[in-house]
Amino acid sequence: MSALGKIADSVDTYNQFVAAEVARARRDEKFAAELRAKWAQLHASIEMTKSPTGTPLPRLALPSTDEPGAIAEFLLGQGFPGQFPYATAAYREMYLDKDSEVERVVPNALGTTASGKSPRGGDNQRHPATVREEPMRLFAGLGLAEDTNARFKYLQRNQKSLRLSTAFDGPTLYGLDSDHEGVLGKVGEGGVAIDTVEDMTRLFAGFDLTRTDASVSMTMNAPAPVILAMFIAAAKRRFGPDCVANLRGTIQADMLKEVQAQNEVIFPVDASLRFLCDMIEWCVPNMPKWYPVSISGYHIAEAGATPVQQAAFTLSNGFTYAGLLQARGVDVNQFGPRLSFFLDCGLDVEYLVLGRVCRRIWAIGMRDVFQANAKAQILKLHTQTSGRSLIAAEFQNNLTRTAVELMLAYLNYTNSCHSNSADEPFTTPTEKYALLASHGQSIILEESGVFKHTMNLFGGAPGLLALERQVEKGILDVFREMDTLGGVITAMEQRYQRSKIQEAGHAYEKQVYANQRPIIGLNKYVSHEPLPSVPLARTSPKKQRLQVARLTAFKKKHAKKAPAALQRLENVARSGGNVFGELVNTVEVCSLGQITACLTNVVGKFRPMV
């Protein structure tokens, strides 16, 4: 049995434990009294606020019950926010308005709240609420580094905190320099061109990356160790060597999903996983605020997977990384809190609970199979609205689609969120629609009262819980099927994940073209309007040649030092040392393409599995 079978069994065992405790609560008077006392304490800890129209609201909505079985079911099956098994939320407070005033209240006999004396015996205290950081992240990447920097500054005007999420162009994603034969026309297309540490410095120029509310995200996989090393080197140039421990953010770096779904792979699987684990192992002690991998289901879903398949493959990949790191001797309680996750959010009903179910399965598996502590049990989740759901026909309907998907993401209490732009079926987002994507999140979180006053307004609904049970069962069924194949990597070698994704994608397309899945404006309520004339975001040949000229100057400047640096990197790679630790030095004098070529000479190239 691989870890997946053990994890599936541990979830079933935990569910049996919850059912037994619910039954015990209904027959054991002492246990029931303990639960009621704890319930009263939890209610007493909840503060009250008021809506702008004057309606009193609790900062956290809990079931209004004194029945001990229902209390046990909520506390053990769902979990108080920030408590095991974390289905309700990863933290005690999320999204709540920090500017509102709150009032502490006293629970009555039924656990509901009423104004009165505080639990400490004094009068009610009014004070600012404590909240987690805002979840909005907006994605940008176009042209050269200074072009993306300008887009960052444009988007930043519409965010409370410093959130810089970066997309890279095709050559960079494949570890190629901009002067590589045949790639000039792709330089700066669909993302930003980054060849050297000097490009990385330009990319974040003018932003204080040491601010406590600053966070950087980079969608980068195969060359992720090189790109992160450039980011570190650029930050050290600007803020000094001591800044590294304070850098916050994440880099995607998820090589398993690349093989399974997205195809941006450079090195063989074993070497790719080695380089990733080298990076994680280095980052855990040296960059304690950084997430060195974002285990991504987004691209799995965009490739065609169902919501259940997306969750199953993503979680199983996460557990595989945990196993690889444990096998290296890395403490699960050190690396566990630095793992993060990234899910797609489409319009299918399963997305209403997907994040909740994933948090629950991850917490149980990490605790019971990997013996992780509480911090390492918490699944930190980034969500992006579905790119696949964006339709070119009557494309402004995409604004509504994305708004619905944002609501679903926030109902799952995602830790951070990116909203796609309505014009993405045509081009890299224009400023107009990138701004509307930003405002979509602001309207939901700041203008509406759905999330800013009370957490868990919708939790506990009978339909929600029934859906959670079915989605959880579907995920565990996939776990067990992969377990019979020998686990994630063995199943991947047999193309299990890829074949399942392809089958699901084909079924989706059949439903669309058979009108079994309505797509408004495409196969239902079609207006037959001509497609709009949308200006494409393109990088001019002049800018592309400028990027190549900069790269040429960099290589000439470091021509004497680069060969020795590459030789040191090769020696570390051949001797089994930590490659990432050496990359932090190599990037000072070598380009992305030079480093990729060096490592390829050592480990070879990826060959697709057949």
Side-chain angles (χ1 to χ4, degrees):
M1 177 182 290
S2 72
L4 293 181
K6 295 176 183 177
I7 291 161
D9 289 347
S10 71
V11 175
D12 285 344
T13 299
Y14 185 76
N15 290 339
Q16 294 165 6
F17 163 75
V18 173
E21 290 295 275
V22 169
R24 176 187 167 204
R26 288 171 176 157
R27 70 171 184 270
D28 185 330
E29 292 185 4
K30 181 179 178 182
F31 184 45
E34 292 172 354
L35 284 171
R36 288 193 179 99
K38 182 175 182 179
W39 198 239
Q41 288 178 344
L42 290 174
H43 273 279
S45 71
I46 296 171
E47 297 160 322
M48 295 292 291
T49 188
K50 288 183 179 180
S51 72
T53 57
T55 301
L57 293 166
R59 299 283 280 182
L60 169 64
L62 293 178
S64 182
T65 181
D66 195 39
E67 200 279 307
I71 296 171
E73 174 65 40
F74 178 82
L75 292 179
L76 299 173
Q78 297 290 302
F80 195 77
Q83 295 183 12
F84 189 90
Y86 304 101
T88 306
Y91 298 108
R92 168 67 186 258
E93 289 193 357
M94 297 173 67
Y95 315 158
L96 296 180
D97 185 2
K98 67 180 180 180
D99 297 321
S100 66
E101 291 187 328
V102 297
E103 183 176 354
R104 190 169 293 280
V105 294
V106 176
N108 62 26
L110 292 177
T112 56
T113 55
S115 297
K117 298 293 183 180
S118 70
R120 297 178 181 175
D123 294 333
N124 290 335
Q125 301 294 315
R126 300 183 68 82
H127 54 85
T130 57
V131 292
R132 292 277 162 180
E133 294 177 357
E134 64 164 333
M136 189 192 304
R137 277 191 182 276
L138 297 173
F139 202 34
L142 67 164
L144 307 193
E146 57 267 35
D147 300 315
T148 299
N149 181 274
R151 177 62 65 89
F152 281 155
K153 290 173 179 174
Y154 174 78
L155 295 174
Q156 184 57 35
R157 297 200 294 268
N158 300 286
Q159 292 181 273
K160 295 178 181 178
S161 303
L162 184 57
R163 297 285 184 266
L164 307 175
S165 189
T166 315
F168 298 87
D169 71 357
T172 306
L173 291 171
Y174 281 98
L176 302 176
D177 278 344
S178 295
D179 62 359
H180 191 85
E181 183 180 1
V183 307
L184 182 61
K186 295 294 184 181
V187 171
E189 294 286 300
V192 62
I194 299 293
D195 294 310
T196 69
V197 63
E198 292 176 357
D199 291 330
M200 191 68 74
T201 302
R202 295 184 192 99
L203 181 63
F204 297 109
F207 293 106
D208 183 358
L209 303 180
T210 64
R211 279 171 41 177
T212 57
D213 68 340
S215 180
V216 172
S217 173
M218 292 180 279
T219 301
M220 172 58 60
N221 292 284
V226 185
I227 293 297
L228 181 57
M230 287 182 181
F231 175 75
I232 293 169
K236 289 165 68 175
R237 289 184 178 190
R238 288 187 58 201
F239 306 109
D242 295 337
C243 77
V244 178
N246 293 317
L247 296 175
R248 299 176 67 241
T250 185
I251 190 163
Q252 198 166 100
D254 181 1
M255 291 313 303
L256 290 175
K257 66 89 179 173
E258 287 296 328
V259 179
Q260 295 163 9
Q262 198 177 21
N263 305 320
E264 289 168 0
V265 189
I266 300 173
F267 311 110
V269 172
D270 57 348
S272 297
L273 294 176
R274 174 198 167 183
F275 297 155
L276 169 60
C277 289
D278 282 353
M279 183 171 68
I280 296 173
E281 191 170 0
W282 188 92
C283 286
V284 166
N286 293 292
M287 298 179 75
K289 299 179 181 180
W290 188 266
Y291 293 101
V293 62
S294 177
I295 303 153
S296 175
Y298 184 85
H299 309 91
I300 291 171
E302 293 292 293
T306 67
V308 167
Q309 288 172 339
Q310 176 193 185
F313 296 157
T314 305
L315 288 171
S316 63
N317 289 345
F319 286 124
T320 300
Y321 292 135
L324 290 171
L325 290 164
Q326 269 199 337
R328 282 181 166 225
V330 187
D331 184 354
V332 66
N333 296 324
Q334 296 298 315
F335 72 75
R338 308 322 307 159
L339 303 179
S340 63
F341 288 81
F342 174 22
L343 292 180
D344 199 344
C345 188
L347 294 170
D348 288 303
V349 67
E350 293 90 344
Y351 286 111
L352 184 59
V353 301
L354 206 65
R356 298 167 62 90
V357 173
C358 286
R359 276 196 300 270
R360 192 174 188 273
I361 292 174
W362 181 255
I364 295 169
M366 289 297 281
R367 188 191 72 170
D368 296 348
V369 176
F370 289 89
Q371 289 76 53
N373 65 16
K375 287 186 177 181
Q377 296 164 15
I378 301 173
L379 184 149
K380 273 80 70 175
L381 176 62
H382 174 72
T383 306
Q384 182 173 340
T385 60
S386 173
R388 186 168 66 151
S389 72
L390 302 179
I391 304 300
E394 300 178 39
F395 79 99
Q396 289 178 324
N397 285 329
N398 293 333
L399 292 166
T400 303
R401 292 185 178 100
T402 297
V404 174
E405 291 162 355
L406 285 172
M407 284 292 294
L408 295 177
Y410 284 127
L411 286 169
N412 281 275
Y413 283 94
T414 186
N415 298 84
S416 62
C417 192
H418 166 72
S419 42
N420 289 328
S421 299
D423 58 351
E424 287 189 47
F426 305 103
T427 183
T428 298
T430 59
E431 285 191 353
K432 173 183 176 181
Y433 285 100
L435 181 62
L436 289 174
S438 169
H439 286 344
Q441 294 200 54
S442 298
I443 289 168
I444 289 172
L445 293 175
E446 299 181 48
E447 185 175 337
S448 87
V450 177
F451 296 104
K452 69 190 294 185
H453 307 305
T454 302
M455 280 192 66
N456 201 40
L457 272 175
F458 304 94
L464 191 79
L465 296 177
L467 183 59
E468 284 183 12
R469 288 191 291 270
Q470 291 302 317
V471 170
E472 180 180 276
K473 180 181 181 302
I475 294 171
L476 298 186
D477 287 345
V478 176
F479 276 17
R480 290 193 167 97
E481 189 168 2
M482 282 192 287
D483 183 61
T484 64
L485 298 174
V488 166
I489 295 177
T490 305
M492 189 172 71
E493 291 170 348
Q494 300 175 50
R495 293 180 60 88
Y496 169 82
Q497 294 94 332
R498 186 172 286 273
S499 65
K500 291 296 184 182
I501 293 167
Q502 290 171 342
E503 289 172 7
H506 180 60
Y508 178 94
E509 294 298 323
K510 286 177 62 178
Q511 290 170 352
V512 171
Y513 287 103
N515 292 330
Q516 296 169 348
R517 179 183 285 266
I519 307 292
I520 306 305
L522 180 67
N523 63 11
K524 193 168 186 177
Y525 310 131
V526 181
S527 66
H528 301 291
E529 294 179 359
L531 290 177
S533 176
V534 178
L536 300 182
R538 301 302 301 267
T539 303
S540 69
K542 181 179 179 180
K543 285 188 175 183
Q544 291 171 333
R545 289 193 294 270
L546 172 60
Q547 180 68 15
V548 172
R550 287 172 172 174
L551 174 61
T552 301
F554 178 89
K555 289 179 176 179
K556 182 177 181 180
K557 176 181 177 181
H558 299 292
K560 293 183 179 180
K561 294 182 178 180
L566 292 171
Q567 186 61 58
R568 287 192 295 271
L569 178 64
E570 180 180 336
N571 293 342
V572 171
R574 291 192 185 280
S575 66
N578 189 298
V579 169
F580 186 78
E582 185 60 34
L583 280 173
V584 174
N585 301 316
T586 313
V587 296
E588 293 283 0
V589 296
C590 299
S591 70
L592 173 62
Q594 289 174 318
I595 293 170
T596 301
C598 173
L599 294 175
T600 299
N601 287 336
V602 177
V603 301
K605 294 182 179 180
F606 172 76
R607 295 184 181 276
M609 299 169 183
V610 295

